[in-house]
Amino acid sequence: MSLAVETTAALDVRPLAGTLGAEVLGIDLSSPPDATQAEAIRAAMRDHKVIVFRDQTIDRAAQKDLTRVFGPLLRVPFVEPMADDADVIAVLKEADEANVSNFGGAWHSDFSCLEAPPAISVLHALELPPLGGDTLWCDMAAAHEALSPGYRAMLAGLSGNHTGRPYGTKAALKVPNPSRSIKMKRNDPAADLDSVHPVVRLDPETGEKSLYVNPVYTSHLSGLSREESRPILRFLQEHATRPEFTYRHRWRPGDVVCWDNRRTMHLALNDYDGYRRLLHRTTAAGEVPIAAA
Ligand code: SIN
């Protein structure tokens, strides 16, 4: 990835960290991106995996227009959307919620338990704590590339089992004491899905190979016991989240951040008890993962 500012016909794109993350300037998202802008936004996403638009004044319709630049809107299982808008989730933790687990507080790639997991997610920051509440992303393609040739060869034939079961009809929530502000849909059979995905996934657009396992949904490696899988999955998580593969976003009201779930994991920090944090979240559909072998 080049660290130079890239000026396309439509937009300025300024990298924010060593391997992923870029700020996109020169666009007002309150009206739908035109075809040239949409292509420039998709190009920035291909190149940087996480893209940041600052100082945007947008409503939910405009957020959905931006999300559709990447693909059709996707409604996701087991998290209640807003009562008056089934395409939008309010990611909220109230000021009076202390010692609760937050939404997205462990490294994950969104809903990887689905057969065709989301491609892109979009967050728009509305109310933020005066400090804390940052979000981190890690670059799963850079992490894959940094493995030794022998380890990459060992992973090439492997698949991972991903499950949403802890959130579905059998739901004993994995996390203790969840925030009451995120409404989890209980008894949702759509969350009981198990999917098998390649451990190394090919991005057909960039040709990049990315690790595609995460500690929230990947229960074990196919054909291996959980005990046998654990050291490999633990190593991959520790390796992928090394600081040099990460971008940490310090939110400002009006920020809009879009990320590629196929080539990243992310984590929302929960270090702001006593303050309200509210973001709107939308999702673009993705494809069934393709093995990189
Ligand atoms: C998520 O979508 O996982 C939550 C991210 C955040 O709240 O920063």
Side-chain angles (χ1 to χ4, degrees), residues 128-278:
L128 296 167
L131 48 87
D134 296 357
T135 307
L136 280 73
W137 282 266
C138 71
D139 186 335
M140 299 294 265
H144 175 262
E145 185 61 28
L147 292 168
S148 65
Y151 208 92
R152 288 202 301 261
M154 190 267 289
L155 293 181
L158 294 179
S159 299
N161 283 52
H162 297 240
T163 183
R165 227 165 258 282
Y167 305 100
T169 59
K170 308 279 182 309
L173 257 189
K174 258 183 183 175
V175 283
N177 203 18
S179 159
R180 68 167 195 278
S181 301
I182 285 281
K183 303 270 181 299
M184 302 298 268
K185 263 189 263 169
R186 299 289 50 147
N187 299 314
D188 183 358
D192 284 349
L193 299 174
D194 290 338
S195 296
V196 175
H197 297 308
V199 168
V200 184
R201 173 173 189 176
L202 178 71
D203 181 53
E205 284 184 271
T206 61
E208 271 184 321
K209 297 177 179 183
S210 294
L211 297 172
Y212 194 66
V213 288
N214 66 84
V216 168
Y217 296 110
T218 314
S219 56
H220 61 284
L221 299 171
S222 311
L224 273 65
S225 69
R226 283 166 198 252
E227 200 181 7
E228 289 165 339
S229 306
R230 204 169 293 127
I232 300 174
L233 292 174
R234 188 178 301 132
F235 166 73
L236 290 176
Q237 180 191 345
E238 283 170 9
H239 170 74
T241 57
R242 274 166 39 187
E244 63 268 35
F245 302 137
T246 64
Y247 165 65
R248 176 172 177 157
H249 188 69
R250 173 88 191 102
W251 292 95
R252 299 196 314 226
D255 283 357
V256 177
V257 178
C258 315
W259 68 91
D260 187 337
N261 285 293
R262 301 163 295 193
R263 297 180 295 155
T264 64
M265 291 194 293
H266 61 284
L267 167 150
L269 285 175
N270 188 12
D271 56 353
Y272 56 94
D273 279 2
Y275 296 101
R276 192 170 204 258
R277 181 179 184 273
L278 172 65

Side-chain angles (χ1 to χ4, degrees), residues 28-50:
D28 174 358
L29 296 172
S30 61
S31 29
D34 64 26
T36 309
Q37 290 170 326
E39 184 41 45
I41 291 170
R42 284 190 291 269
M45 180 63 82
R46 279 196 295 275
D47 289 347
H48 300 284
K49 303 182 181 79
V50 178

